[in-house]
């Protein structure tokens, strides 16, 4: 049995929990939009074609902001194709995913969906094939009250489609997507992108100076330009932008589950590296404003060399199709524990990572799955996100963790128990999130509260291997409730110290009633 001791001190905090940390992502890719959030004629769809069964799960999951419409898709997308009467919208080919885009669902429809889902819109603009003029036009279309060409066109299109005519009031904008990547339509050097992003940002803020802008950072820590890309881009854009983006996807390689379970270590190092680069540019440029991080794509994604027929880089073999099945990964108990630990990493860095978007929301590497004409259900990875979004409130606590180790090939010996916590003084609730990365050993955890007094355990839940299952157990169409949260049994408070026993390979959440000691 692994031993772990955690100390939480009332006076050692990181920052207020940034609510945008619990974001998601809807891209025109695979079945995320079509038969995901939108499916006219489905028994659960409303008159607008919005699937109410999916919306119910989205609201339960609790994302606060959703990035749209891409992703790789946006670098070849004309936003004007997705507005106006649906029957007048052009059908286009999408080179990013080699699919046919009908444009039946566009900006107005997404804004309507976002209101139903109770999320903030994070809109991405095309800086792959387009530029300054299209960017400022889209901001005018979305946010200007009226009396100009683009704002009046929004009002006209809203009337024609039965959707919102008032300004959308979109505050968050992404200045393109992954333009450091050679796979991206309109791939650019850091200098080329930095200058374009700077001028686009200036023009967009001339239309609406209240918007917040995200510059494109590296597509992954493994990119050969990582570090130098951020430095160059921010050297151009530091005064114009509010955030720089990060993207990271993780998967198990060659059966090395131990290293996979410790990928939060990689995320921690990635974030720390970007923070260092931001601060170096800030110091060198003598800037007074603070640029933070939007980790606007992250998840577990089994790319497997992109050699499966459902993989996006091979869909061309099947010809041009509408909304094909693409990277619809099935997530296991193991994956859910990793997702939980990645959320821990993001929360621990909540003073600088103030936006994060799990990619994607439905069907495409998603916590929610749905079938055309059929049901929608929660994947195993749904639960850590849903619980952290619901319970992580107030102050992020700075934890001291002394844990037994678990060996990994990639990272050496790492803490078997990974933890983070938040404290909301107004409600008197402390939320503690725990991952046991060990696949063989349970963990005995003691939590010493300093400056705080716990009066009781309000709830204690655990996600682990189900009875009769194994670490690959998952929720699928014919068995949608195989993996879920169960009551964590061995929990108690003795002499002011919380004692918890965690099963091997598990993610847990506890909510305590506490007050100042």
């Amino acid at each position: 049995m692994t031993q772990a001791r955690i100390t939480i001190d009332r006076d050692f905090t990181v920052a207020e929990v940034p609510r945008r940390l619990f974001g998601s992502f809807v891209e025109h890719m695979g079945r995320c939009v079509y038969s995901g959030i939108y499916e006219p004629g489905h028994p659960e769809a409303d008159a607008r074609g919005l699937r109410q069964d999916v919306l119910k799960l989205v609201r339960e999951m609790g994302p606060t902001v959703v990035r749209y419409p891409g992703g790789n898709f946006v670098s070849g997308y004309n936003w004007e194709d997705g507005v106006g009467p649906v029957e007048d919208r052009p059908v286009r080919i999408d080179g990013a995913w080699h699919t046919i885009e009908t444009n039946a669902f566009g900006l107005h429809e997404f804004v309507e969906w976002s209101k139903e889902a109770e999320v903030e819109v994070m809109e991405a603009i095309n800086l792959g094939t387009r530029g300054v003029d299209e960017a400022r036009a889209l901001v005018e279309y979305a946010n200007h009250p009226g009396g100009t060409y683009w704002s009046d066109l929004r009002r006209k299109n809203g009337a024609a489609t039965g959707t919102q005519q008032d300004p959308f009031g979109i505050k968050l904008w992404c200045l393109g997507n992954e333009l450091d990547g050679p796979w991206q339509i309109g791939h650019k050097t850091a200098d080329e992108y930095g200058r374009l992003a700077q001028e686009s940002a200036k023009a967009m803020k001339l239309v609406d100076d209240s918007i917040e802008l995200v510059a494109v950072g590296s597509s992954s820590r493994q990119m050969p330009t990582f570090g130098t890309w951020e430095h160059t881009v921010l050297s151009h854009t530091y005064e114009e932008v509010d955030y720089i983006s990060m993207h990271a996807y993780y998967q198990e390689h060659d059966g090395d589950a131990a290293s996979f379970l410790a990928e939060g270590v990689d995320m921690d190092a990635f974030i720390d590296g970007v923070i260092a680069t931001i601060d170096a540019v800030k110091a060198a440029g003598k800037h007074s404003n603070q640029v933070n991080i939007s980790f606007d794509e992250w998840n577990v994604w089994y790319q497997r060399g992109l050699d499966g027929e459902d993989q996006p880089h091979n869909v061309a073999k099947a010809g041009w199709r509408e909304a094909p099945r693409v990277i619809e990964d099935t997530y296991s108990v193991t994956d859910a524990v990793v997702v939980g630990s990645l959320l821990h990493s993001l929360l621990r860095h909540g003073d600088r990572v103030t936006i994060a978007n799990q990619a994607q929301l439905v069907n495409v590497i998603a916590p929610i799955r749905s079938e055309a004409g059929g049901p929608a259900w929660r994947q195993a990875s749904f639960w850590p996100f849903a619980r952290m979004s619901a319970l992580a409130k107030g102050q992020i606590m700075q934890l001291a963790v002394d844990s037994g180790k678990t060996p990994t090939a990639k990272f050496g010996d790492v803490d078997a128990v990974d933890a983070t916590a938040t404290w909301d003084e107004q409600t008197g609730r402390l939320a503690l999130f725990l991952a046991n990365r060990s696949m063989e050993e349970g963990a005995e955890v003691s939590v010493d509260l300093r400056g705080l007094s716990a009066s009781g355990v309000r709830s204690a839940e655990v996600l682990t291997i189900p009875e009769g299952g194994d670490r690959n157990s998952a929720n699928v169409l014919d068995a949608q409730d195989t993996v879920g949260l169960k009551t964590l049994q061995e929990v108690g408070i003795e002499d002011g110290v919380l004692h918890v026993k965690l099963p091997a390979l598990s993610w847990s959440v506890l909510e305590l009633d506490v007050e100042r000691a």
Side-chain angles (χ1 to χ4, degrees):
M1 183 75 72
T2 299
Q3 302 295 316
R5 181 184 176 189
I6 298 171
T7 303
I8 303 175
D9 192 306
R10 178 192 69 199
D11 296 324
F12 288 83
T13 62
V14 176
E16 188 83 13
V17 176
R19 293 306 302 161
R20 287 169 168 172
L21 199 67
F22 303 104
S24 190
F25 180 26
V26 166
E27 181 174 2
H28 283 251
M29 176 183 181
R31 299 192 311 118
C32 185
V33 173
Y34 302 109
S35 74
I37 67 173
Y38 176 78
E39 188 181 345
H42 187 280
E44 295 284 343
D46 65 12
R48 299 165 295 181
L50 305 180
R51 283 190 58 163
Q52 298 299 303
D53 56 342
V54 173
L55 272 166
K56 181 179 179 181
L57 292 179
V58 171
R59 287 190 287 264
E60 179 186 351
M61 181 176 148
T64 53
V65 57
V66 176
R67 183 170 173 246
Y68 175 84
N72 292 357
F73 172 81
V74 80
S75 292
Y77 178 56
N78 298 332
W79 66 266
E80 302 93 329
D81 292 345
V83 300
V86 173
E87 61 273 15
D88 295 337
R89 298 179 191 177
V91 175
R92 304 280 195 191
I93 61 170
D94 166 37
W97 304 119
H98 201 86
T99 55
I100 297 295
E101 173 56 55
T102 66
N103 285 304
F105 189 94
L107 181 57
H108 281 260
E109 288 78 16
F110 183 72
V111 169
E112 292 291 311
W113 177 88
S114 71
K115 291 190 294 182
E116 293 285 328
E118 301 170 7
V119 301
E120 180 182 6
V121 175
M122 184 181 195
E123 182 75 10
I125 65 169
N126 176 358
L127 290 186
T129 61
R130 310 189 83 184
V132 176
D133 201 39
E134 293 84 3
R136 66 175 182 169
L138 179 51
V139 176
E140 181 183 329
Y141 184 93
N143 289 359
H144 196 71
T148 67
Y149 175 79
W150 289 113
S151 61
D152 284 346
L153 184 60
R154 179 199 67 242
R155 297 177 64 84
K156 177 183 177 182
N157 288 337
T161 57
T163 54
Q164 184 170 327
Q165 300 178 50
D166 294 333
F168 299 151
I170 300 172
K171 295 302 181 187
L172 275 178
W173 297 80
C174 298
L175 298 170
N177 175 77
E178 290 187 358
L179 287 155
D180 62 324
W183 60 84
Q184 199 73 197
I185 297 173
H187 164 58
K188 292 169 175 60
T189 67
D191 272 313
E192 290 170 339
Y193 170 73
R195 287 289 296 120
L196 177 59
Q198 179 186 32
E199 294 306 317
S200 298
K202 287 161 60 178
M204 293 165 73
K205 286 193 171 182
L206 287 173
V207 177
D208 183 349
D209 63 5
S210 71
I211 61 176
E212 301 170 55
L213 301 178
V214 183
V216 168
S218 292
S219 300
S220 76
R221 194 182 179 204
Q222 288 69 45
M223 293 296 291
T225 54
F226 168 59
T228 58
W229 173 276
E230 281 81 1
H231 194 281
T232 300
V233 167
L234 286 172
S235 295
H236 288 294
T237 64
Y238 198 97
E239 287 293 329
E240 282 75 38
V241 303
D242 304 279
Y243 311 89
I244 191 160
S245 71
M246 294 178 65
H247 291 183
Y249 293 99
Y250 298 100
Q251 64 176 316
E252 183 177 328
H253 292 281
D254 302 320
D256 184 6
S259 294
F260 177 48
L261 285 160
E263 288 289 9
V265 174
D266 180 86
M267 181 178 272
D268 286 338
F270 189 10
I271 293 170
D272 291 341
V274 175
I275 290 172
T277 305
I278 294 170
D279 291 347
V281 175
K282 179 181 180 180
K286 300 178 176 61
H287 302 287
S288 59
N289 58 310
Q290 182 62 66
V291 170
N292 284 320
I293 292 170
S294 172
F295 211 130
D296 52 36
E297 286 189 33
W298 70 270
N299 206 351
V300 171
W301 174 11
Y302 283 92
Q303 299 181 52
R304 299 187 184 92
L306 298 173
D307 55 1
E309 68 175 22
D310 71 332
Q311 297 294 342
H313 291 61
N314 286 325
V315 292
K317 295 177 181 178
W320 297 96
R321 296 177 292 169
E322 292 181 19
R325 290 182 182 272
V326 174
I327 58 171
E328 297 191 4
D329 285 359
T330 297
Y331 290 120
S332 67
V333 171
T334 309
D335 301 321
V337 174
V338 173
V339 166
S341 68
L342 296 177
L343 283 161
H344 295 179
S345 175
L346 294 168
L347 188 59
R348 277 194 294 268
H349 291 90
D351 57 331
R352 299 299 296 275
V353 181
T354 54
I355 303 171
N357 304 91
Q358 186 183 31
Q360 294 182 18
L361 183 58
V362 186
N363 288 328
V364 177
I365 52 171
I368 298 171
R369 287 289 303 273
S370 68
E371 284 298 327
W377 68 96
R378 309 167 190 84
Q379 293 231 63
S381 59
F382 177 98
W383 295 108
F385 189 107
R387 284 299 186 265
M388 289 190 72
S389 177
L391 300 181
K393 295 179 180 179
Q395 290 291 321
I396 305 165
M397 306 307 289
Q398 185 176 317
L399 275 55
V401 179
D402 181 11
S403 170
K405 305 300 180 182
T406 186
T408 73
K410 185 175 180 181
F411 304 107
D413 291 344
V414 302
D415 286 349
V417 174
D418 182 64
T420 189
T422 63
W423 174 46
D424 187 348
E425 186 172 12
Q426 287 189 333
T427 63
R429 307 275 176 83
L430 186 143
L432 176 64
F433 309 100
L434 302 163
N436 184 3
R437 294 164 164 159
S438 174
M439 292 182 291
E440 291 82 28
E441 292 189 71
E444 292 183 340
V445 182
S446 62
V447 183
D448 186 9
L449 301 176
R450 298 183 180 178
L452 295 169
S453 175
S455 58
V457 178
R458 180 171 288 269
S459 64
E461 298 173 297
V462 61
L463 185 152
T464 190
I465 296 171
E467 186 176 352
D470 58 29
R471 74 179 189 89
N472 296 310
S473 296
N475 296 339
V476 295
L477 177 61
D478 296 329
Q480 298 173 15
D481 298 312
T482 301
V483 179
L485 290 169
K486 309 294 183 184
T487 300
L488 186 60
Q489 298 292 342
E490 298 185 82
V491 181
I493 299 173
E494 184 177 348
D495 296 329
V497 177
L498 174 69
H499 297 277
V500 185
K501 284 189 178 181
L502 305 176
L505 188 62
S506 63
W507 182 86
S508 301
V509 52
L510 294 90
E511 191 177 24
L512 312 180
D513 287 319
V514 302
E515 59 185 18
R516 284 179 176 268

